[in-house]
Amino acid sequence: MKLPYLQSNSSFRTPSDLLKASDYTHRWVNHEMSNFEYLMKLNSIAGRSYNDLSQYPIFPWILKDFTSETIDLNDENIYRDLSKPIGVQNKKFEIYVREKYESFEDPTGTMQPFHYGTHYSNSANVMHYLIRLEPFTTLHIQLQSDKFDVADRQFYSIPSSWKILYENPTDAKELIPEFFYLPEFLLNMNNFDFGELQSNKDRVNDVSLPKWAKSPEQFVYLHRKALESEYVSSHMHEWIDLIFGYKQQGVEAEKALNVFMYYSYEGAIDVDAITDPVARNATEGMISNFGQIPIQLLKEPHPKRKSLQQSIKDKIVQGKPIVLWDQIKNLKAYYVDFCDVKRDEVIDPVIYINIPRNQIKSFIQQGLSEPLITICQSGVIGVNGWQAYERSAANLFSFEKDPSLLYNRTKKSIATQFDPNFELNSRVFVLTNDSKLLVSGAHWDNSLRVFSLSKNRNIAHLFQHSDIVTTLAIDYTSSYVVSGSKDCLCMIWKVVQEYGNCVNVEPSPFHILYGHSDWVTAVDISNELDIVISGSKDGTVNIHSLQSGCYVKTLNFNNNDIISFNSVNIKLNNERHILIYTDSVIMKSSTRKNKYEIFVYSINGQLISYEKLNCRVQDMIFQDKYCILGLLINHKSLNTANNSLNSNNFEDNADSKKFIDTTSKIVFKDYFDLNTMHSIRLKAAITCINLTRDESHLLVGLSDGKLIVITGDRSIK
């Protein structure tokens, strides 16, 4: 059934044309887009949507080993054959399915031969998988005449589901995207009574997992890693050919044993030509309930994805930057002398770095630099030049220092506006994506200030907090800013945009968020996830809805051992996880000691991983599957850590000597088990870190005035 807006019209591009005009396939082949993201793009272009259960996004079964105690994702024997439909994964059914097709006869002449009488994606299948989540629970009950289906027919076990598919050629169900990012759909959090199995009288509750997965979170984590594995990457084009490509229909579909009921194909039935309303409703219901084949996007074989190593080699030859995660074991650090020690009387280290635009633009624009915004300890702002694609440079990037930083009379500074008792850090500044506006906190008058980089002046003073603003965050689209303060409040502010440019911040907050009993030390925000999170010295992390401002949940880190908290820092990633760092003071053997811990939670409050650290985290980044920590080594001070947010703290015990940070370390960790994947030791204390938008470079500010750039080692061949 073709939707009205997809009817053939010469003035519109077809979905196939849209795919060819996009660069999605090229980016995927070259490892510039993940398998998950590429499949979502294909589904979207082919008309699949979360808003239509009958045309829900389709994802493949990836694994076939759901019984082993452990699983090795490098073992090719654990994966299904992506070149064959799910109905013939068991080789013994190939002859049966082929003979069924060849011997098919319809006396009426209306039915065409088919290999499978069921479909790999329809509304009933979606409700089958998502029965534990609303509104799918209610939809399932409505479909089953106001009751749950028989327990044995429900989705109660992943190993059993695969076994049924493998042993039954008439069941052709593929998967849905939730299998790769949403562990909650495997849990019966609402305590529904699904009945009991006839075979063993066990009650159906949470979904039974493979033996190699100890929790729903671990299953989703490993399943996603399997999807992005080298084996799946090298064979995914074969599955795409079956679902979206040239093996979807016609002679090639017959050869591939991939033909379904004729009315599931686009354009097979002209519903608009059916004048009888009863017949039309029956036809539409039949198509909707059985399932619909996606719009065919390709009529030729889909290109195969390059191996990761080949992709890296090609980027080295072409002079393109390499995503850090693709060379996590082979990173190289370069340094830029940001401060001229010989000329400057006092070292003024960088405490905030940001490259607001996507570096891909600089390649398209043939060498035009991007703005790299820096803010120094003194409050001096620099608009430097950054280019990640400078092929003439040995390190394949170029940095051009803002000329205004060379002389005191030309420097742009807002230093006199900050509270002198507050130690500035990267958390009190945010920059809009278009590099037009810089929003800052920590001002002596408790205001939030908006600085126009183009006009080189403050354009707004926002007075709503009753104490100093201690932390800021901005969402990915630069639509909202959230502020936290010593007054224990958080406020959400709307960014005023005109013709795509950020011009100011609205004078009154969009929402005021309550719930903390001590001052707020960190905030983060996501417009896409509709979430605002805030951490406080009261030892709690609060979660609110961005759009409604309603309170959702509190994560509490207080326990009997903790006397007080020096700081709580938080970061939110795109995969629905929260990274939390706590710096607390505990009493041990009548001695005060500092305790440093990191936690990873889901946005629904499920603890995923935890680690106790030996040293303080100065700054951190949480990007998809990785945590980047900036650790301070050998850090001690006289301060008791109760004076200010960034006060120097004890590490082992409180003695009478004052120590200064001399070294630090950048640590890359996997988010799920917090396993350290790589670390880089630096000779001075870290002041701030920032990851470029294309994830090719990590920028690190040091207390000695240097700017460190970490990227993949281009010398590897």
Side-chain angles (χ1 to χ4, degrees):
M1 182 171 61
K2 186 178 289 188
L3 297 175
Y5 58 84
L6 294 179
Q7 294 288 347
S8 299
N9 190 316
S10 59
S11 63
F12 293 100
R13 287 183 175 182
T14 66
S16 178
D17 293 335
L18 290 174
L19 178 62
K20 291 178 180 178
S22 73
D23 63 344
Y24 298 149
T25 301
H26 173 78
R27 290 174 58 196
W28 176 76
V29 168
N30 290 280
H31 283 261
E32 296 172 8
M33 180 183 289
S34 69
N35 290 337
F36 181 89
E37 186 179 1
Y38 186 56
L39 290 178
M40 288 302 299
K41 297 289 187 185
L42 293 179
N43 272 285
S44 179
I45 294 174
R48 317 298 290 193
S49 168
Y50 284 113
N51 299 320
D52 186 352
L53 295 185
S54 65
Q55 298 196 78
Y56 209 74
I58 309 164
F59 269 64
W61 282 91
I62 293 299
L63 301 171
K64 66 179 182 182
D65 183 356
F66 296 99
T67 57
S68 299
E69 294 289 341
T70 59
I71 192 168
D72 180 6
L73 297 181
N74 295 318
D75 182 3
E76 297 184 358
N77 295 318
I78 67 172
Y79 297 97
R80 69 165 277 194
D81 187 345
L82 289 166
S83 67
K84 296 179 180 180
I86 200 70
V88 289
Q89 289 298 304
N90 191 333
K91 292 183 178 180
K92 72 179 183 180
F93 293 127
E94 290 186 14
I95 296 176
Y96 166 79
V97 170
R98 184 177 290 107
E99 290 179 349
K100 173 186 173 182
Y101 180 85
E102 294 173 350
S103 62
F104 180 85
E105 292 183 5
D106 178 24
T108 65
T110 58
M111 294 286 289
Q112 300 174 13
F114 56 87
H115 292 116
Y116 312 101
T118 60
H119 199 259
Y120 47 73
S121 176
N122 56 41
S123 56
N125 290 349
V126 176
M127 288 183 276
H128 173 76
Y129 287 133
L130 299 179
I131 189 173
R132 288 163 179 80
L133 296 181
E134 288 287 10
F136 306 100
T137 308
T138 300
L139 293 172
H140 169 88
I141 292 173
Q142 292 173 351
L143 181 67
Q144 299 295 330
S145 303
D146 295 331
K147 63 180 183 299
F148 285 116
D149 195 6
V150 176
D152 296 77
R153 289 200 294 262
Q154 294 174 15
F155 177 48
Y156 63 88
S157 168
I158 294 174
S160 296
S161 295
W162 172 256
K163 183 179 179 181
I164 292 171
L165 290 173
Y166 192 74
E167 296 178 352
N168 183 6
T170 63
D171 195 341
K173 284 194 292 290
E174 290 281 9
L175 298 183
I176 55 177
E178 284 80 355
F179 273 82
F180 301 93
Y181 71 85
L182 189 69
E184 287 82 1
F185 90 100
L186 300 169
L187 298 172
N188 184 19
M189 296 181 292
N190 295 312
N191 296 317
F192 294 119
D193 184 0
F194 296 115
E196 60 183 32
L197 301 176
Q198 295 178 7
S199 58
N200 55 20
K201 303 302 180 181
D202 287 345
R203 299 205 68 82
V204 174
N205 193 23
D206 297 339
V207 176
S208 297
L209 303 173
K211 293 181 179 179
W212 43 259
K214 307 307 179 186
S215 66
E217 291 76 20
Q218 187 178 24
F219 170 78
V220 169
Y221 168 76
L222 292 173
H223 205 216
R224 181 67 169 267
K225 287 190 73 173
L227 177 66
E228 304 298 340
S229 67
E230 195 67 25
Y231 176 85
V232 173
S233 293
S234 63
H235 291 275
M236 183 58 74
H237 65 286
E238 298 171 338
W239 186 83
I240 293 172
D241 287 336
L242 293 172
I243 307 300
F244 303 101
Y246 80 109
K247 291 183 179 180
Q248 185 197 84
Q249 51 188 290
V251 176
E252 293 298 331
E254 294 179 21
K255 294 179 181 178
L257 305 179
N258 193 42
V259 179
F260 294 82
M261 297 288 282
Y262 75 99
Y263 49 73
S264 65
Y265 290 87
E266 180 193 17
I269 299 178
D270 187 356
V271 178
D272 293 331
I274 303 176
T275 57
D276 184 356
V278 176
R280 176 167 178 156
N281 289 337
T283 302
E284 290 179 344
M286 179 178 62
I287 295 172
S288 177
N289 292 328
F290 176 80
Q292 300 178 60
I293 302 292
I295 297 172
Q296 190 174 21
L297 301 180
L298 296 164
K299 294 186 177 181
E300 63 280 339
H302 190 285
K304 184 177 180 179
R305 197 180 200 193
K306 295 178 182 177
S307 69
L308 179 59
Q309 289 303 315
Q310 184 59 50
S311 173
I312 292 174
K313 289 180 180 179
D314 290 346
K315 289 175 182 177
I316 291 173
V317 172
Q318 298 166 9
K320 293 183 178 180
I322 303 166
V323 176
L324 289 176
W325 327 124
D326 290 345
Q327 271 197 300
I328 195 70
K329 301 292 186 182
N330 299 292
L331 299 178
K332 192 172 182 179
Y334 304 85
Y335 77 90
V336 176
D337 277 322
F338 192 80
C339 295
D340 191 337
V341 180
K342 295 181 179 179
R343 187 186 68 247
D344 299 338
E345 296 180 359
V346 179
I347 295 177
D348 193 11
V350 174
I351 61 169
Y352 177 82
I353 315 170
N354 200 341
I355 303 176
R357 294 196 183 111
N358 194 323
Q359 286 81 48
I360 293 176
K361 291 183 178 180
S362 63
F363 177 73
I364 295 173
Q365 296 171 359
Q366 300 179 357
L368 296 180
S369 296
E370 301 282 355
L372 187 155
I373 310 301
T374 56
I375 301 176
C376 295
Q377 185 73 49
S378 64
V380 173
I381 303 172
V383 183
N384 311 276
W386 165 267
Q387 189 177 353
Y389 296 89
E390 181 56 67
R391 296 193 63 180
S392 62
N395 48 14
L396 295 180
F397 74 87
S398 66
F399 174 83
E400 300 173 6
K401 187 174 180 179
D402 185 347
S404 69
L405 299 176
L406 299 176
Y407 306 100
N408 289 330
R409 57 185 173 82
T410 58
K411 288 180 179 179
K412 300 181 284 289
S413 177
I414 48 176
T416 57
Q417 301 167 349
F418 294 106
D419 187 322
N421 297 318
F422 186 87
E423 186 177 344
L424 292 182
N425 62 86
S426 61
R427 280 182 265 171
V428 295
F429 304 100
V430 292
L431 184 71
T432 56
N433 286 344
D434 57 5
S435 69
K436 301 290 185 184
L437 303 178
L438 174 70
V439 184
S440 60
H443 297 288
W444 64 273
D445 57 0
N446 308 330
S447 67
L448 196 68
R449 303 203 176 189
V450 184
F451 186 86
S452 171
L453 293 171
S454 58
K455 298 177 181 178
N456 192 25
R457 63 179 178 85
N458 284 309
I459 58 174
H461 292 188
L462 309 178
F463 297 97
Q464 291 290 336
H465 284 288
S466 60
D467 211 331
I468 295 171
V469 175
T470 54
T471 180
L472 296 169
I474 190 168
D475 78 299
Y476 186 80
T477 61
S478 294
S479 301
Y480 298 92
V481 172
V482 58
S483 60
S485 168
K486 283 186 177 182
D487 63 10
C488 309
L489 300 179
C490 295
M491 297 186 185
I492 303 173
W493 310 79
K494 278 188 175 181
V495 178
V496 179
Q497 298 187 5
E498 294 180 357
Y499 305 105
N501 295 318
C502 299
V503 296
N504 211 326
V505 176
E506 289 189 357
S508 299
F510 177 56
H511 288 302
I512 300 178
L513 310 179
Y514 303 87
H516 291 297
S517 59
D518 206 335
W519 48 302
V520 181
T521 59
V523 291
D524 209 346
I525 183 173
S526 171
N527 192 5
E528 183 179 17
L529 297 176
D530 185 30
I531 187 174
V532 176
I533 54 178
S534 56
S536 167
K537 291 183 70 175
D538 62 13
T540 65
V541 171
N542 287 344
I543 303 175
H544 287 81
S545 166
L546 167 60
Q547 296 301 327
S548 68
C550 293
Y551 166 81
V552 177
K553 186 183 289 289
T554 293
L555 305 177
N556 196 328
F557 299 92
N558 286 284
N559 59 54
N560 295 332
D561 296 332
I562 296 177
I563 300 173
S564 63
F565 286 86
N566 301 318
S567 178
V568 174
N569 197 1
I570 51 180
K571 295 293 181 182
L572 181 66
N573 75 354
N574 295 328
E575 298 292 328
R576 305 168 60 255
H577 298 128
I578 306 170
L579 174 64
I580 302 171
Y581 161 71
T582 62
D583 176 358
S584 59
V585 179
I586 63 173
M587 184 66 71
K588 189 173 183 180
S589 301
S590 303
T591 304
R592 289 183 174 227
K593 290 179 175 287
N594 275 88
K595 185 178 182 181
Y596 312 109
E597 299 171 293
I598 54 173
F599 308 79
V600 176
Y601 279 84
S602 72
I603 60 172
N604 290 318
Q606 179 65 42
L607 177 63
I608 296 173
S609 53
Y610 160 81
E611 183 181 3
K612 183 178 180 181
L613 303 175
N614 295 321
C615 46
R616 177 184 165 200
V617 176
Q618 175 66 12
D619 204 353
M620 61 189 194
I621 293 171
F622 196 18
Q623 191 74 16
D624 297 336
K625 299 177 292 183
Y626 301 96
C627 311
I628 307 176
L629 306 179
L631 303 179
L632 299 182
I633 311 297
N634 298 327
H635 177 77
K636 298 183 181 180
S637 168
L638 283 175
N639 296 330
T640 60
N642 292 319
N643 297 329
S644 67
L645 174 64
N646 292 291
S647 62
N648 296 329
N649 300 321
F650 304 109
E651 193 172 273
D652 296 320
N653 52 54
D655 54 35
S656 59
K657 297 181 180 179
K658 183 175 181 180
F659 294 81
I660 301 176
D661 301 318
T662 55
T663 63
S664 57
K665 184 165 58 173
I666 295 290
V667 178
F668 298 84
K669 289 180 174 289
D670 183 285
Y671 88 91
F672 184 79
D673 53 14
L674 293 177
N675 179 48
T676 298
M677 307 182 70
H678 190 62
S679 62
I680 298 175
R681 192 72 176 256
L682 302 173
K683 295 181 179 180
I686 293 169
T687 56
C688 58
I689 57 178
N690 181 265
L691 185 67
T692 58
R693 280 289 181 88
D694 63 0
E695 302 179 10
S696 64
H697 296 76
L698 181 69
L699 309 176
V700 184
L702 298 182
S703 60
D704 62 1
K706 289 186 174 64
L707 180 64
I708 302 296
V709 181
I710 298 173
T711 187
D713 187 355
R714 270 75 169 179
S715 63
I716 299 175
K717 302 296 182 183

